[in-house]
Amino acid sequence: MTRTWSGSKSRNARRTIRARGRFQHCWRCGRDLDLDEDTWHAGHLTDRMDGGTDNPHNLAAECPPCNTRAGGLRGSAITNARHEAPNWPTSREQKIRPRW
């Protein structure tokens, strides 16, 4: 699993995005963001789980609802994929036969 994104890593990402200008758009929904006044998150254009990097060219400003919604969807997709995995019987279960 990847390490958490906090501390100096997060500060550097926000500083990089902020250097592009005060007024930007949420790259997911297009909402106008004033980076000095509005609450915003630093998001990845291509998620790290999908092969994206922490390169400044892969970072963009996002509004909080878009960022948290995207992370939740990605996490639930992974969790659901694990639950949908086939449940193969163990060798012990194969030996046990119902008595009818």
Side-chain angles (χ1 to χ4, degrees), residues 22-88:
R22 176 179 173 182
F23 300 101
Q24 296 185 32
H25 301 285
C26 171
W27 76 272
R28 289 188 192 267
C29 69
R31 177 179 156 214
D32 293 329
L33 296 172
D34 179 353
L35 302 187
D36 288 344
E37 300 293 324
D38 297 334
T39 303
W40 60 280
H41 294 180
H44 290 87
L45 298 173
T46 304
D47 290 331
R48 291 185 292 169
M49 294 179 73
D50 293 332
T53 64
D54 294 333
N55 186 317
H57 298 291
N58 191 39
L59 301 173
E62 292 181 326
C63 59
C66 287
N67 186 279
T68 54
R69 187 179 321 116
L73 290 175
R74 180 68 176 163
S76 65
I78 292 168
T79 303
N80 291 339
R82 288 183 186 146
H83 289 297
E84 293 172 3
N87 188 8
W88 301 108

Side-chain angles (χ1 to χ4, degrees), residues 2-15:
T2 57
R3 291 175 41 188
T4 59
W5 232 64
S6 61
S8 63
K9 201 174 201 181
S10 179
R11 280 192 302 274
N12 290 339
R14 290 177 64 84
R15 187 179 307 124

